[in-house]
Amino acid sequence: DVKVTQSSRYLVKRTGEKVFLECVQDMDHENMFWYRQDPGLGLRLIYFSYDVKMKEKGDIPEGYSVSREKKERFSLILESASTNQTSMYLCASSFTQGEAFFGQGTRLTVV
Amino acid sequence: GQNIDQPTEMTATEGAIVQINCTYQTSGFNGLFWYQQHAGEAPTFLSYNVLDGLEEKGRFSSFLSRSKGYSYLLLKELQMKDSASYLCALLDRGSTLGRLYFGRGTQLTVWP
């Protein structure tokens, strides 16, 4: 069974804090993705990575950065959290041209 | 990018059949996925269409027509547990990155 694990299910952070969201997959997938999901807006891609140390911006990268130092791990960083970054964050991984497998999600609240 | 359109909400009764449509405008794509997402949970893969035609998987079937620019997900013998959001997604073409473009999802409510 493919497993994509996100480090936290729920997080509460203060405005201005640096926030790290971690994601680990155990299927040796090349691709890893970070999405955020908001009511009425669907899944929006923040960043994706197709190889170690490689990254590409998605549709809404502003205010975020990512790190992929090892193939199994993809981190999303909020440099200075703001209230408009309150959202559900979903990590996913896939083989090239294959279906994506999602983590359980992290519900982040910025106060 | 891709322009993907799905109805926002649908309702149906237990035991019925429901068809969820997905229309798109794109310059090209490799395949089309359907995902199911229960409230508060992650999306899970349901089906994948590469070629035109019907793919059947138990109570769920998915159809693709590239020439007409649409797909549908057909759910038969509906059960209460089928109440969920159903997401249509296009797999980018000409890319080895496997990027998926998602529609906003269709919230299906199944009534007893």
Side-chain angles (χ1 to χ4, degrees), chain A residues 9 31 33 35 37 40-41 43 45 48 50 59 90 96-100 102-103, chain B residues 30 33 35 37 40 42-43 45 48 87 91-92 95-100 102 104:
Chain A
R9 193 72 195 264
N31 302 328
F33 307 86
Y35 292 89
Q37 188 172 34
L41 296 179
L43 280 163
L45 183 64
F48 59 100
Y50 52 93
D59 299 318
L90 287 160
T96 302
Q97 303 292 311
E99 75 263 30
F102 285 84
Chain B
N30 269 4
F33 289 96
Y35 282 82
Q37 186 178 24
F45 167 74
Y48 180 46
L87 307 170
L91 182 63
D92 206 3
S95 162
T96 59
L97 305 179
R99 178 170 176 167
L100 280 175
F102 282 89
R104 295 188 178 188

Side-chain angles (χ1 to χ4, degrees), chain A:
Chain A
D1 252 10
V2 175
K3 200 163 234 184
V4 181
T5 304
Q6 295 182 225
S7 51
S8 304
R9 193 72 195 264
Y10 299 95
L11 269 182
V12 180
K13 296 292 181 180
R14 295 193 181 277
T15 302
E17 272 192 83
K18 191 168 186 175
V19 181
F20 293 86
L21 302 183
E22 307 284 347
C23 175
V24 177
Q25 51 97 2
D26 66 358
M27 278 301 290
D28 204 34
H29 285 161
E30 297 92 4
N31 302 328
M32 294 190 76
F33 307 86
W34 275 106
Y35 292 89
R36 64 177 281 179
Q37 188 172 34
D38 301 286
L41 296 179
L43 280 163
R44 293 182 291 166
L45 183 64
I46 305 170
Y47 268 97
F48 59 100
S49 168
Y50 52 93
D51 202 350
V52 175
K53 297 191 189 294
M54 305 302 286
K55 60 184 179 185
E56 291 285 337
K57 291 180 181 178
D59 299 318
I60 50 164
E62 296 79 20
Y64 304 94
S65 61
V66 290
S67 171
R68 193 163 180 204
E69 296 296 318
K70 293 185 178 181
K71 192 174 186 180
E72 68 270 18
R73 186 179 296 268
F74 192 35
S75 303
L76 179 70
I77 303 148
L78 286 66
E79 297 291 341
S80 176
S82 64
T83 54
N84 63 13
Q85 292 178 310
T86 292
S87 186
M88 170 69 87
Y89 289 87
L90 287 160
C91 173
S93 71
S94 71
F95 287 119
T96 302
Q97 303 292 311
E99 75 263 30
F101 294 86
F102 285 84
Q104 78 276 28
T106 297
R107 187 164 292 283
L108 173 67
T109 303
V110 182
V111 297

Side-chain angles (χ1 to χ4, degrees), chain B residues 45-64:
Chain B
F45 167 74
L46 284 179
S47 70
Y48 180 46
N49 293 72
V50 177
L51 302 174
D52 282 7
L54 192 67
E55 292 284 339
E56 295 188 81
K57 257 189 175 186
R59 294 189 299 114
F60 294 1
S61 304
S62 58
F63 175 83
L64 175 64

